[in-house]
């Protein structure tokens, strides 16, 4: 009888160890700003109803654009849109930037990370793609930018 009890105890202990060690611990989700931080290459932008695919070359000048998103805090990010024009024959480059200094981020039930600032500028991120909307008082001048993450 004593042998059965000790065999039972050993089996129970072994099963307990196996069950405890087989349980996976969920990794905590990284902060929202860390999930979207990085550099993105702009595929196209829309101003009012005019769609411009990038890169585009006109009269020897090539236009490209990028978006840089950086962390401010766990739920806030800074967004910088840079438009670049390069004259191929001279190798000269000119850049202009628009900055959204702080966007408050949240995550939707569908997994998109979204954010907005007090001026109505917004960002949506899903599957390594980002859309940034830079609002204007004149809706025909509102800039919608679509970009994909640059692989590192």
């Amino acid at each position: 009888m004593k042998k059965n009890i000790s065999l039972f105890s050993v089996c129970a202990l072994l099963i307990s160890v196996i069950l405890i060690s087989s349980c996976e611990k969920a990794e905590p989700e990284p902060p929202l700003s860390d999930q979207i931080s990085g550099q993105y290459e702009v595929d196209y932008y829309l101003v009012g109803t005019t769609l411009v695919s990038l890169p585009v070359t006109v009269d020897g000048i090539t236009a490209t654009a990028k978006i840089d998103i950086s962390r401010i805090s766990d739920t806030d990010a800074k967004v910088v849109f840079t438009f670049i024009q390069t004259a191929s024959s001279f190798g000269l480059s000119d850049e202009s930037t628009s900055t959204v200094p702080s966007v408050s981020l949240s995550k939707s039930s569908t997994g998109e990370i979204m954010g907005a600032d007090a001026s109505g500028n917004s960002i949506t991120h899903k599957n390594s793609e980002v859309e940034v909307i830079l609002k204007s008082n004149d809706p025909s001048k509102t800039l919608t930018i679509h970009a994909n993450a640059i692989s590192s």
Side-chain angles (χ1 to χ4, degrees):
M1 179 81 162
K2 196 172 187 180
K3 197 174 192 179
N4 285 342
I5 291 175
S6 85
L7 183 59
F8 176 74
S9 297
V10 170
C11 286
L13 180 63
L14 186 59
I15 290 172
S16 296
V17 168
I18 290 171
L19 288 175
I20 290 171
S21 66
S22 68
C23 293
E24 286 187 35
K25 294 179 182 161
E27 290 291 322
E29 183 175 50
L32 297 178
S33 58
D34 289 347
Q35 293 180 48
I36 68 169
S37 289
Q39 194 172 67
Y40 297 79
E41 183 175 35
V42 175
D43 316 49
Y44 64 86
Y45 65 90
L46 182 69
V47 179
T49 59
T50 304
L51 177 73
V52 179
S53 295
L54 295 178
V56 64
T57 302
V58 177
D59 295 331
I61 297 174
T62 301
T64 59
K66 65 181 180 176
I67 294 174
D68 288 296
I69 302 174
S70 57
R71 171 193 167 97
I72 295 174
S73 70
D74 285 356
T75 57
D76 293 302
K78 176 180 175 181
V79 180
V80 178
F81 168 67
T82 304
F83 185 76
I84 306 156
Q85 294 179 323
T86 305
S88 57
S89 58
F90 303 109
L92 300 175
S93 180
D94 185 33
E95 295 183 0
S96 60
T97 61
S98 296
T99 301
V100 181
S102 183
V103 177
S104 298
L105 304 170
S106 63
K107 194 167 198 173
S108 73
S109 60
T110 60
E112 292 176 325
I113 297 174
M114 300 176 295
D117 71 358
S119 301
N121 299 308
S122 64
I123 183 172
T124 304
H125 179 277
K126 186 169 186 179
N127 299 330
S128 299
E129 294 181 5
V130 69
E131 181 179 87
V132 175
I133 299 175
L134 302 175
K135 287 285 189 181
S136 172
N137 291 336
D138 178 353
S140 70
K141 294 182 181 175
T142 292
L143 180 61
T144 302
I145 309 157
H146 182 272
N148 288 294
I150 297 174
S151 302
S152 39

